[in-house]
Amino acid sequence: QVQLVESGGGLVQAGGSLRLSCVASGRTLSISVMGWFRQAPGKEREFVASIRWSGGQTSYGDSVKGRFTISRDIAKNTVYLQMNSLKPEDTAVYYCAAQRDGGRYYYTRPGQFDYWGQGTQVTVSS
């Protein structure tokens, strides 16, 4: 099993920045892809970004391209989400997720990810 713990959420004004972190523990050698999703009240869980653990290839949701950057530190078993130019519509609970060995960094559906963190709230005020 893999455990994921997010941190870094909070309240920020529109136009500001936040950096989320997610630390993986447990059977981390089995991780092939890590990613971020978000869910706003009354909405479906939305793909934000993902990164291939070994090669570093990335994928982004259309709504965050050019503003958010995903990165990872393999030695620390940590994935980051740098969020710039934040908008009120970015307000959501942000979840870290991971795929087991054999995953694909271009997968975007929640059901394609095997492990999930508990989520961290990001609120962007206008």
Side-chain angles (χ1 to χ4, degrees), residues 77-97:
N77 289 324
T78 301
V79 65
Y80 304 98
L81 185 68
Q82 178 66 44
M83 305 185 293
N84 298 328
S85 302
L86 283 161
K87 306 175 182 179
E89 51 264 43
D90 293 318
T91 295
V93 176
Y94 283 70
Y95 296 92
C96 178

Side-chain angles (χ1 to χ4, degrees), residues 22-77:
C22 173
V23 179
S25 61
R27 297 186 62 186
T28 57
L29 290 179
S30 68
I31 295 174
S32 59
V33 174
M34 291 192 72
W36 291 93
F37 286 76
R38 65 186 183 186
Q39 189 165 19
K43 295 189 176 182
E44 293 186 352
R45 194 163 293 192
E46 176 190 16
F47 171 76
V48 175
S50 64
I51 186 165
R52 185 164 175 253
W53 201 241
S54 59
Q57 294 93 333
T58 58
S59 177
Y60 293 92
D62 289 340
S63 60
V64 306
K65 281 180 182 176
R67 300 188 297 123
F68 290 11
T69 303
I70 190 170
S71 62
R72 89 272 195 239
D73 185 329
I74 295 176
K76 296 182 178 180
N77 289 324

Side-chain angles (χ1 to χ4, degrees), residues 15-26:
S17 298
L18 278 176
R19 189 177 82 153
L20 305 182
S21 300
C22 173
V23 179
S25 61

Side-chain angles (χ1 to χ4, degrees), residues 99-112:
Q99 296 179 34
R100 286 192 293 258
D101 193 30
R104 299 289 184 266
Y105 72 93
Y106 45 82
Y107 284 172
T108 61
R109 296 198 303 270
Q112 293 169 317

